[in-house]
mmCIF file of all heavy atoms in Angstrom:
data_model
loop_
_atom_site.group_PDB
_atom_site.id
_atom_site.type_symbol
_atom_site.label_atom_id
_atom_site.label_comp_id
_atom_site.label_asym_id
_atom_site.label_seq_id
_atom_site.Cartn_x
_atom_site.Cartn_y
_atom_site.Cartn_z
ATOM 1 N N ALA K 1135 46.140 42.183 69.230
ATOM 2 C CA ALA K 1135 46.288 43.511 69.797
ATOM 3 C C ALA K 1135 46.261 44.687 68.700
ATOM 4 O O ALA K 1135 45.737 45.775 68.828
ATOM 5 C CB ALA K 1135 47.580 43.681 70.612
ATOM 6 N N HIS K 1136 46.979 44.401 67.528
ATOM 7 C CA HIS K 1136 46.977 45.254 66.390
ATOM 8 C C HIS K 1136 45.599 45.504 65.950
ATOM 9 O O HIS K 1136 45.186 46.647 65.620
ATOM 10 C CB HIS K 1136 47.841 44.773 65.335
ATOM 11 C CG HIS K 1136 48.069 45.700 64.239
ATOM 12 N ND1 HIS K 1136 48.322 45.336 62.898
ATOM 13 C CD2 HIS K 1136 48.155 47.074 64.159
ATOM 14 C CE1 HIS K 1136 48.534 46.378 62.127
ATOM 15 N NE2 HIS K 1136 48.423 47.428 62.863
ATOM 16 N N LEU K 1137 44.784 44.460 65.813
ATOM 17 C CA LEU K 1137 43.405 44.562 65.267
ATOM 18 C C LEU K 1137 42.520 45.426 66.186
ATOM 19 O O LEU K 1137 41.881 46.265 65.772
ATOM 20 C CB LEU K 1137 42.815 43.135 65.095
ATOM 21 C CG LEU K 1137 41.292 43.140 64.654
ATOM 22 C CD1 LEU K 1137 41.144 43.631 63.229
ATOM 23 C CD2 LEU K 1137 40.856 41.712 64.786
ATOM 24 N N GLU K 1138 42.659 45.147 67.517
ATOM 25 C CA GLU K 1138 41.934 46.031 68.445
ATOM 26 C C GLU K 1138 42.408 47.478 68.359
ATOM 27 O O GLU K 1138 41.452 48.349 68.453
ATOM 28 C CB GLU K 1138 42.187 45.489 69.903
ATOM 29 C CG GLU K 1138 41.598 44.061 70.195
ATOM 30 C CD GLU K 1138 42.097 43.526 71.609
ATOM 31 O OE1 GLU K 1138 42.776 44.208 72.216
ATOM 32 O OE2 GLU K 1138 41.590 42.375 71.854
ATOM 33 N N LEU K 1139 43.679 47.658 68.256
ATOM 34 C CA LEU K 1139 44.087 49.090 68.016
ATOM 35 C C LEU K 1139 43.470 49.737 66.872
ATOM 36 O O LEU K 1139 43.078 50.913 67.000
ATOM 37 C CB LEU K 1139 45.667 49.180 68.010
ATOM 38 C CG LEU K 1139 46.206 50.506 67.710
ATOM 39 C CD1 LEU K 1139 45.914 51.472 68.968
ATOM 40 C CD2 LEU K 1139 47.731 50.359 67.366
ATOM 41 N N VAL K 1140 43.506 49.172 65.734
ATOM 42 C CA VAL K 1140 42.956 49.708 64.518
ATOM 43 C C VAL K 1140 41.435 49.957 64.620
ATOM 44 O O VAL K 1140 41.044 50.927 64.145
ATOM 45 C CB VAL K 1140 43.307 48.731 63.345
ATOM 46 C CG1 VAL K 1140 42.612 49.332 61.989
ATOM 47 C CG2 VAL K 1140 44.762 48.664 63.117
ATOM 48 N N VAL K 1141 40.766 49.014 65.246
ATOM 49 C CA VAL K 1141 39.275 49.184 65.567
ATOM 50 C C VAL K 1141 39.122 50.458 66.353
ATOM 51 O O VAL K 1141 38.189 51.257 65.908
ATOM 52 C CB VAL K 1141 38.675 47.916 66.285
ATOM 53 C CG1 VAL K 1141 37.282 48.344 66.715
ATOM 54 C CG2 VAL K 1141 38.689 46.802 65.273
ATOM 55 N N ARG K 1142 39.822 50.755 67.356
ATOM 56 C CA ARG K 1142 39.728 51.903 68.114
ATOM 57 C C ARG K 1142 40.123 53.250 67.313
ATOM 58 O O ARG K 1142 39.438 54.225 67.472
ATOM 59 C CB ARG K 1142 40.639 51.689 69.436
ATOM 60 C CG ARG K 1142 40.434 53.015 70.246
ATOM 61 C CD ARG K 1142 41.296 52.849 71.592
ATOM 62 N NE ARG K 1142 42.764 52.971 71.312
ATOM 63 C CZ ARG K 1142 43.390 54.197 71.332
ATOM 64 N NH1 ARG K 1142 42.728 55.331 71.472
ATOM 65 N NH2 ARG K 1142 44.703 54.274 71.236
ATOM 66 N N MET K 1143 41.068 53.087 66.519
ATOM 67 C CA MET K 1143 41.717 54.313 65.852
ATOM 68 C C MET K 1143 40.710 54.714 64.696
ATOM 69 O O MET K 1143 40.447 55.912 64.512
ATOM 70 C CB MET K 1143 43.094 54.158 65.498
ATOM 71 C CG MET K 1143 44.068 54.110 66.444
ATOM 72 S SD MET K 1143 44.235 55.719 67.352
ATOM 73 C CE MET K 1143 45.756 55.605 68.241
ATOM 74 N N ILE K 1144 40.425 53.691 63.771
ATOM 75 C CA ILE K 1144 39.805 54.147 62.572
ATOM 76 C C ILE K 1144 38.445 53.410 62.334
ATOM 77 O O ILE K 1144 37.805 53.644 61.188
ATOM 78 C CB ILE K 1144 40.688 53.905 61.257
ATOM 79 C CG1 ILE K 1144 41.018 52.388 61.097
ATOM 80 C CG2 ILE K 1144 42.018 54.694 61.557
ATOM 81 C CD1 ILE K 1144 41.751 52.194 59.814
ATOM 82 N N GLY K 1145 38.031 52.540 63.197
ATOM 83 C CA GLY K 1145 36.847 51.720 63.007
ATOM 84 C C GLY K 1145 36.849 50.984 61.708
ATOM 85 O O GLY K 1145 37.774 50.234 61.500
ATOM 86 N N GLU K 1146 35.839 51.073 60.872
ATOM 87 C CA GLU K 1146 35.769 50.258 59.607
ATOM 88 C C GLU K 1146 36.278 51.067 58.402
ATOM 89 O O GLU K 1146 36.097 50.662 57.308
ATOM 90 C CB GLU K 1146 34.200 49.921 59.406
ATOM 91 C CG GLU K 1146 33.605 49.047 60.474
ATOM 92 C CD GLU K 1146 34.220 47.656 60.516
ATOM 93 O OE1 GLU K 1146 34.633 47.222 59.472
ATOM 94 O OE2 GLU K 1146 34.355 47.087 61.622
ATOM 95 N N ALA K 1147 36.941 52.200 58.667
ATOM 96 C CA ALA K 1147 37.499 52.918 57.601
ATOM 97 C C ALA K 1147 38.593 52.135 56.828
ATOM 98 O O ALA K 1147 39.281 51.262 57.445
ATOM 99 C CB ALA K 1147 38.017 54.275 58.074
ATOM 100 N N PRO K 1148 38.867 52.396 55.487
ATOM 101 C CA PRO K 1148 39.952 51.673 54.676
ATOM 102 C C PRO K 1148 41.298 51.984 55.319
ATOM 103 O O PRO K 1148 41.548 53.172 55.977
ATOM 104 C CB PRO K 1148 39.760 52.270 53.411
ATOM 105 C CG PRO K 1148 38.353 52.855 53.220
ATOM 106 C CD PRO K 1148 38.005 53.243 54.717
ATOM 107 N N GLY K 1149 42.264 51.196 55.109
ATOM 108 C CA GLY K 1149 43.718 51.438 55.562
ATOM 109 C C GLY K 1149 44.201 52.519 54.667
ATOM 110 O O GLY K 1149 43.855 52.667 53.471
ATOM 111 N N THR K 1150 45.305 53.214 55.221
ATOM 112 C CA THR K 1150 46.011 54.157 54.338
ATOM 113 C C THR K 1150 46.697 53.593 53.063
ATOM 114 O O THR K 1150 46.865 54.256 52.119
ATOM 115 C CB THR K 1150 47.007 54.933 55.218
ATOM 116 O OG1 THR K 1150 47.861 53.959 55.909
ATOM 117 C CG2 THR K 1150 46.374 55.893 56.186
ATOM 118 N N GLY K 1151 46.973 52.356 53.197
ATOM 119 C CA GLY K 1151 47.732 51.682 52.074
ATOM 120 C C GLY K 1151 46.798 51.087 51.086
ATOM 121 O O GLY K 1151 47.177 50.437 50.106
ATOM 122 N N GLY K 1152 45.506 51.398 51.131
ATOM 123 C CA GLY K 1152 44.560 50.913 50.166
ATOM 124 C C GLY K 1152 43.954 49.625 50.563
ATOM 125 O O GLY K 1152 43.239 48.939 49.730
ATOM 126 N N THR K 1153 44.237 49.093 51.766
ATOM 127 C CA THR K 1153 43.677 47.699 52.190
ATOM 128 C C THR K 1153 42.270 48.009 52.739
ATOM 129 O O THR K 1153 41.843 49.173 52.884
ATOM 130 C CB THR K 1153 44.536 47.090 53.331
ATOM 131 O OG1 THR K 1153 44.398 47.891 54.491
ATOM 132 C CG2 THR K 1153 45.949 47.015 52.884
ATOM 133 N N ALA K 1154 41.580 46.952 53.093
ATOM 134 C CA ALA K 1154 40.201 46.948 53.548
ATOM 135 C C ALA K 1154 40.297 47.341 55.071
ATOM 136 O O ALA K 1154 39.235 47.154 55.758
ATOM 137 C CB ALA K 1154 39.467 45.630 53.300
ATOM 138 N N GLY K 1155 41.372 47.617 55.638
ATOM 139 C CA GLY K 1155 41.470 47.990 57.077
ATOM 140 C C GLY K 1155 41.199 46.859 58.015
ATOM 141 O O GLY K 1155 41.957 45.772 57.834
ATOM 142 N N VAL K 1156 40.245 46.972 58.836
ATOM 143 C CA VAL K 1156 40.121 45.958 59.866
ATOM 144 C C VAL K 1156 39.725 44.542 59.249
ATOM 145 O O VAL K 1156 40.261 43.623 59.749
ATOM 146 C CB VAL K 1156 38.862 46.392 60.725
ATOM 147 C CG1 VAL K 1156 38.321 45.287 61.576
ATOM 148 C CG2 VAL K 1156 39.205 47.708 61.637
ATOM 149 N N ASN K 1157 38.974 44.550 58.187
ATOM 150 C CA ASN K 1157 38.660 43.296 57.536
ATOM 151 C C ASN K 1157 39.849 42.645 57.102
ATOM 152 O O ASN K 1157 40.005 41.356 57.131
ATOM 153 C CB ASN K 1157 37.547 43.373 56.453
ATOM 154 C CG ASN K 1157 36.180 43.702 57.101
ATOM 155 O OD1 ASN K 1157 35.979 43.391 58.199
ATOM 156 N ND2 ASN K 1157 35.401 44.455 56.339
ATOM 157 N N TRP K 1158 40.828 43.332 56.402
ATOM 158 C CA TRP K 1158 41.987 42.814 55.966
ATOM 159 C C TRP K 1158 42.900 42.173 56.988
ATOM 160 O O TRP K 1158 43.342 41.123 56.931
ATOM 161 C CB TRP K 1158 42.750 43.753 55.111
ATOM 162 C CG TRP K 1158 44.014 43.274 54.470
ATOM 163 C CD1 TRP K 1158 44.091 42.558 53.290
ATOM 164 C CD2 TRP K 1158 45.287 43.505 55.014
ATOM 165 N NE1 TRP K 1158 45.512 42.313 53.227
ATOM 166 C CE2 TRP K 1158 46.241 42.862 54.041
ATOM 167 C CE3 TRP K 1158 45.862 44.164 56.178
ATOM 168 C CZ2 TRP K 1158 47.561 42.794 54.262
ATOM 169 C CZ3 TRP K 1158 47.261 44.098 56.261
ATOM 170 C CH2 TRP K 1158 48.045 43.454 55.370
ATOM 171 N N LEU K 1159 42.981 43.069 58.119
ATOM 172 C CA LEU K 1159 43.804 42.488 59.237
ATOM 173 C C LEU K 1159 43.105 41.228 59.922
ATOM 174 O O LEU K 1159 43.927 40.326 60.203
ATOM 175 C CB LEU K 1159 43.862 43.592 60.307
ATOM 176 C CG LEU K 1159 44.746 44.840 60.011
ATOM 177 C CD1 LEU K 1159 44.598 45.877 61.119
ATOM 178 C CD2 LEU K 1159 46.122 44.417 59.760
ATOM 179 N N ARG K 1160 41.843 41.272 60.074
ATOM 180 C CA ARG K 1160 41.179 40.069 60.656
ATOM 181 C C ARG K 1160 41.518 38.812 59.761
ATOM 182 O O ARG K 1160 41.656 37.669 60.355
ATOM 183 C CB ARG K 1160 39.772 40.415 60.757
ATOM 184 C CG ARG K 1160 38.988 39.291 61.485
ATOM 185 C CD ARG K 1160 37.494 39.624 61.593
ATOM 186 N NE ARG K 1160 37.302 40.824 62.391
ATOM 187 C CZ ARG K 1160 36.684 41.830 62.078
ATOM 188 N NH1 ARG K 1160 36.338 42.062 60.749
ATOM 189 N NH2 ARG K 1160 36.495 42.945 62.819
ATOM 190 N N SER K 1161 41.428 38.983 58.474
ATOM 191 C CA SER K 1161 41.617 37.776 57.638
ATOM 192 C C SER K 1161 43.109 37.182 57.791
ATOM 193 O O SER K 1161 43.265 36.080 57.260
ATOM 194 C CB SER K 1161 41.443 38.261 56.074
ATOM 195 O OG SER K 1161 42.430 39.036 55.665
ATOM 196 N N ARG K 1162 43.934 37.947 58.182
ATOM 197 C CA ARG K 1162 45.389 37.448 58.266
ATOM 198 C C ARG K 1162 45.794 36.966 59.668
ATOM 199 O O ARG K 1162 46.957 36.552 59.758
ATOM 200 C CB ARG K 1162 46.276 38.647 57.851
ATOM 201 C CG ARG K 1162 46.031 39.054 56.389
ATOM 202 C CD ARG K 1162 47.029 40.205 55.975
ATOM 203 N NE ARG K 1162 48.367 39.684 55.717
ATOM 204 C CZ ARG K 1162 48.837 39.045 54.722
ATOM 205 N NH1 ARG K 1162 48.086 38.701 53.727
ATOM 206 N NH2 ARG K 1162 50.123 38.665 54.726
#
């Protein structure tokens, strides 16, 4: 659910903490 939310909110943009955003969440 968190991954789906981030996709809706920022798409493929990097995370605010310097992570790869969606790809980083998907890997975890």
Side-chain angles (χ1 to χ4, degrees):
H1136 188 212
L1137 178 64
E1138 291 173 2
L1139 174 68
V1140 172
V1141 168
R1142 180 177 75 83
M1143 287 294 197
I1144 67 172
E1146 298 295 327
T1150 50
T1153 70
V1156 167
N1157 288 334
W1158 182 79
L1159 289 176
R1160 187 180 292 117
S1161 71
R1162 298 183 67 80

